[in-house]
Amino acid sequence: MNQQKLAQLSTDVTGWLISVGEKLRPGVKAIETVDTKSSRNDLVTNEDVAIEDFLEQQIHEHYPEARIVGEENKKSRVQDLDGLVFFVDPIDGTLNFVRKHDCFASMIGVYENGEPVFGAILDVMENDLYWGGPQLGVFCNEEKLPSVDDKPLAEGLIGASWRQLFTNRFNLGTVGYHASGVRILGSAGLEFVQLLHGRHVGYVSTLNPWDIAAGKILAEALGYKTSTVAGQKVNLLHTCDFVVMTPKAMKEFNALTYA
Amino acid sequence: MNQQKLAQLSTDVTGWLISVGEKLRPGVKAIETVDTKSSRNDLVTNEDVAIEDFLEQQIHEHYPEARIVGEENKKSRVQDLDGLVFFVDPIDGTLNFVRKHDCFASMIGVYENGEPVFGAILDVMENDLYWGGPQLGVFCNEEKLPSVDDKPLAEGLIGASWRQLFTNRFNLGTVGYHASGVRILGSAGLEFVQLLHGRHVGYVSTLNPWDIAAGKILAEALGYKTSTVAGQKVNLLHTCDFVVMTPKAMKEFNALTYA
């Protein structure tokens, strides 16, 4: 993508996510006034849909040629990655949003003909915006983040989903023992944030395309490796067993795991 | 404890922890310049000892009659809880401190003749101070925190240690499935913080007295229940299998667990 178009895309996407944060943070407090579980779930669905509607509206208005992949519009799921495709996850870490009112993210990943162009993750409650891509590098707000510190498993922590750790999916327990340990955050977006800051050396979880798209762009731009647990290239048209790690940790993971 | 003495204790302990935060945050960045694993561990030990020395010095100076229980002075471990006892954990979540440079706490719990008097937990990197006790209530910085929202397991998340979850210690997997899920943060102090904010409904882990002392005071002051996993009263002279939950979640946990 040419620099002028990319600069505009960056301005647009980061601006939208900043707006999403402003819309969501007051809503988090409103959740506390809703008493029943079913109302709570309704509210979340409403928030999810409202934010996704807002983002889709922006995308359609500013990028009419683009197609959108998101949780709420599964009916129109794209069948290929030709042209400009926006992956939208309005609230990533929904359970944290409902139960903790904390530790959730809003994410957009933009690809052109299947190639990574621009990714952005908003840590909503911290109001920290992570953004960038292969041409721009990666930033936390205005601060440029350094490339991956290529640590082996033994020198870092890995992120995972609790059910997959508990059932030893992918041999995660053994991987955890080879690493310094396992942390469970409950948000793919915030797991990517740990990697962008060099706080974890890897993350393994079964994820949907909109959970992966933005973080994959940012992590790869810093030199992290991504693949399916079986060692295949990630296909953003399908749910997959996803892994992102430092290059050294990825090699060790491949020798330890079973898909 | 009389109000004047308690007010002085509160001023002293919170002031010391604010100083600890000021000492530790620049040190976190310094860690990144140390390359070898052994140096890293040395550095942490140094930091741990330096912070504990500072806190012990303050306690001895201002409360000469008090005794201290902490990780670094195991030799002088107290044999009873008579009089004034300070439990000191200079860096809780050491692995997070080393590996993440984030998500660790500094804690002090004060008991008089075994009764809770005052607790304080500093979330070091967020620079948020949680403090209070049975007479004062509980505060996050200047904001008073509300009493426990007595949710059952099904309406909340629980915290645990990853190894104990993985090995299904205490039947934690089943407890997790009855709850909304499990989160793993790697710091007892920050697990207590989740409870104080009503973000989790419980936390289960095998812990030392200095991991428990401050958070137990604060959580109980908000109406949380604490006990050993076997349902016994917590004895702060010994390591124990510790559980803290909302009253409703505790009842469910007792029916699901095995110690």
Side-chain angles (χ1 to χ4, degrees), chain B residues 73-89:
Chain B
N73 54 355
K74 283 172 186 156
K75 289 171 199 161
S76 60
R77 178 84 54 87
V78 303
Q79 301 296 323
D80 60 67
L81 296 177
D82 295 348
L84 202 58
V85 179
F86 285 67
F87 294 82
V88 175
D89 195 354

Side-chain angles (χ1 to χ4, degrees), chain B residues 76-131:
Chain B
S76 60
R77 178 84 54 87
V78 303
Q79 301 296 323
D80 60 67
L81 296 177
D82 295 348
L84 202 58
V85 179
F86 285 67
F87 294 82
V88 175
D89 195 354
I91 299 176
D92 168 75
T94 312
L95 207 50
N96 285 348
F97 178 64
V98 187
R99 299 302 186 208
K100 301 186 69 161
H101 312 148
D102 194 28
C103 298
F104 57 96
S106 191
M107 314 196 282
I108 296 175
V110 186
Y111 290 72
E112 193 169 43
N113 299 318
E115 294 301 313
V117 175
F118 186 80
I121 300 173
L122 179 73
D123 178 340
V124 176
M125 298 312 290
E126 293 286 331
N127 198 18
D128 282 328
L129 184 64
Y130 301 83
W131 57 276

